[in-house]
Amino acid sequence: MGVILRPIDIVDDITKEEFFEKYLKPRRPVVIKNMAKKWPAYQKWTMDYIKEVVGDVEVPLYDSAKADPSAPINTPTTKMQFGDYIDLIRKEPTDLRIFFFDPIKYANKLLADYISPKDLMGGFLDKYPSMFFGGKGSVTFLHYDIDLPHIFHTHFNGRKHVILFENKWKERLYKIPYTTYALEDYDIENPDFEKFPALNGIDGIECFLEHGDTLFMPTGWWHWMKYLDGSFSLSLRAWDKSWAVKAHSIWNLTVQRKFDDIMKVNFKKKYMDWKEKRAIKIAESALRKGLPK
């Protein structure tokens, strides 16, 4: 049976009413082809332009190695001058990525190059755009965003492979306790079902983003991403209207994250080993029970 991946819905354009009824209300992902074509960024955001306007700032980089059990989540592997990193990903494959980079700190002029899709929904955090850069072959591990936003993720200058899962599959994905990410010991593109049997039969969505494509990811959706070319993306984030979702977001960012960081500092590998074993037990239990129903 394997991992069941269905193609994502793709539209050229969409009205507010269609978007609400088909995607926002039921919380279903969709790719919108023409949204970014209306932005100045569609033409302007080349590698050379981004390198020029951001300048020679030092940026944290992340690789594909398994996280250090004693380090807080999102601890960088190394650092590099931004321009040197852009040259690197244009020249050759690398697993080094820039994660959650705020370009507006260094280049306010970029704010004029894109438009938050307020014609589709409200709640955008306009002052907090995020950019993500990756070399060919680099991978963003399977996770969902800790602050539970709706995300409009627009890709530039290459291709990206994306796999998505509803949050109802979290136990079967071997979710690590007290985090929003999955066990890093399997490859979701080619999982070993003997070692990770709970993955057999899970149901997800797959898409391939090209320059200018915008992926709408509803709150709580798990996502795995692989850069097929050295390229980058812009994420625009919006709050869900639900106060329950907002409260859960605040809990994740404060209580849960703080508890997890304290446990890592104090118990290091012992704590991480316990979490991984617990994730496996929960996944196997969910499989036996036939969850999710």
Side-chain angles (χ1 to χ4, degrees), residues 62-67 77 95-97 137-139 184:
Y62 304 81
D63 63 16
S64 59
K66 191 171 179 177
T77 304
D95 69 344
L96 293 174
R97 296 175 293 113
S138 62
V139 171
E184 296 177 62

Side-chain angles (χ1 to χ4, degrees), residues 6-168:
R6 296 172 282 112
I8 198 167
D9 286 0
I10 300 175
V11 299
D12 289 330
D13 298 289
I14 193 167
T15 66
K16 182 176 183 177
E17 293 73 24
E18 288 176 315
F19 177 73
F20 179 79
E21 290 297 330
K22 292 183 178 180
Y23 303 106
L24 182 58
K25 183 179 178 181
R27 295 182 178 173
R28 290 176 55 207
V30 62
V31 169
I32 306 171
K33 299 290 288 187
N34 290 340
M35 178 182 292
K37 290 180 181 179
K38 305 178 183 76
W39 301 352
Y42 184 74
Q43 299 292 341
K44 291 171 66 175
W45 283 16
T46 63
M47 292 287 197
D48 284 333
Y49 179 75
I50 293 294
K51 177 181 174 181
E52 176 188 342
V53 298
V54 173
D56 288 328
V57 299
E58 189 176 66
V59 291
L61 301 177
Y62 304 81
D63 63 16
S64 59
K66 191 171 179 177
D68 179 351
S70 64
I73 191 170
N74 299 336
T75 300
T77 304
T78 186
K79 295 182 179 181
M80 184 182 291
Q81 292 295 309
F82 182 75
D84 293 339
Y85 175 75
I86 293 297
D87 291 340
L88 173 65
I89 65 173
R90 286 198 293 190
K91 182 176 64 174
E92 61 190 50
T94 175
D95 69 344
L96 293 174
R97 296 175 293 113
I98 298 178
F99 177 76
F100 257 115
F101 178 55
D102 179 3
I104 308 307
K105 287 183 180 178
Y106 313 102
N108 284 331
K109 62 193 299 184
L110 294 176
L111 279 169
D113 291 343
Y114 63 86
I115 304 165
S116 294
K118 295 177 182 178
D119 56 333
L120 297 183
M121 64 174 293
F124 281 93
L125 306 172
D126 288 333
K127 294 182 180 179
Y128 303 99
S130 300
M131 293 186 76
F132 302 82
F133 295 73
K136 180 178 180 179
S138 62
V139 171
T140 303
F141 60 82
L142 187 59
H143 70 288
Y144 65 96
D145 282 34
I146 192 169
D147 55 338
L148 300 175
H150 297 296
I151 301 171
F152 288 81
H153 187 81
T154 302
H155 198 59
F156 295 92
N157 287 276
R159 299 166 299 143
K160 181 183 274 189
H161 181 198
V162 183
I163 297 176
L164 303 155
F165 298 98
E166 285 187 77
N167 209 321
K168 69 179 183 179

Side-chain angles (χ1 to χ4, degrees), residues 1 15 27 65 74 85 97 151 185 221 249 258 269 287:
M1 182 162 43
T15 66
R27 295 182 178 173
N74 299 336
Y85 175 75
R97 296 175 293 113
I151 301 171
D185 294 335
W221 273 73
S249 168
K258 187 65 175 177
K269 187 175 184 301
L287 178 62

